Amino acid sequence: MKRFISETRRDDAERTGWLLDAADIAFAFEPVNGIAADFEAVVMEGLLTDQAVPVYPPAGHTYPRKD
């Protein structure tokens, strides 16, 4: 049985801080190739945007299965 755990704004702010600190460490050096640069750009856009995005997968859709 899952227990409901309430999260405070402080909890959220702390987690956000840890995430941004980890991104600083992970991307401290220049990307080694174009794929790495594209990956970094996508991750940073996701970290720095404050816009809500649709949840994946959309309702009624499941995650792909590995056959």
Side-chain angles (χ1 to χ4, degrees):
M1 177 188 232
K2 290 185 179 181
R3 291 180 19 192
F4 176 76
I5 300 172
S6 98
E7 182 176 81
T8 64
R9 286 183 182 265
R10 181 178 178 182
D11 295 332
D12 185 55
E14 286 177 353
R15 186 178 54 251
T16 299
W18 297 331
L19 181 61
L20 293 174
D21 289 345
D24 285 343
I25 294 166
F27 301 129
F29 302 100
E30 290 296 316
V32 295
N33 57 37
I35 293 173
D38 291 344
F39 175 77
E40 182 177 333
V42 169
V43 170
M44 294 308 290
E45 182 177 343
L47 289 173
L48 300 176
T49 186
D50 62 355
Q51 297 176 352
V53 295
V55 174
Y56 181 85
H61 186 279
T62 60
Y63 289 98
R65 290 184 173 216
K66 186 175 181 179
D67 293 326

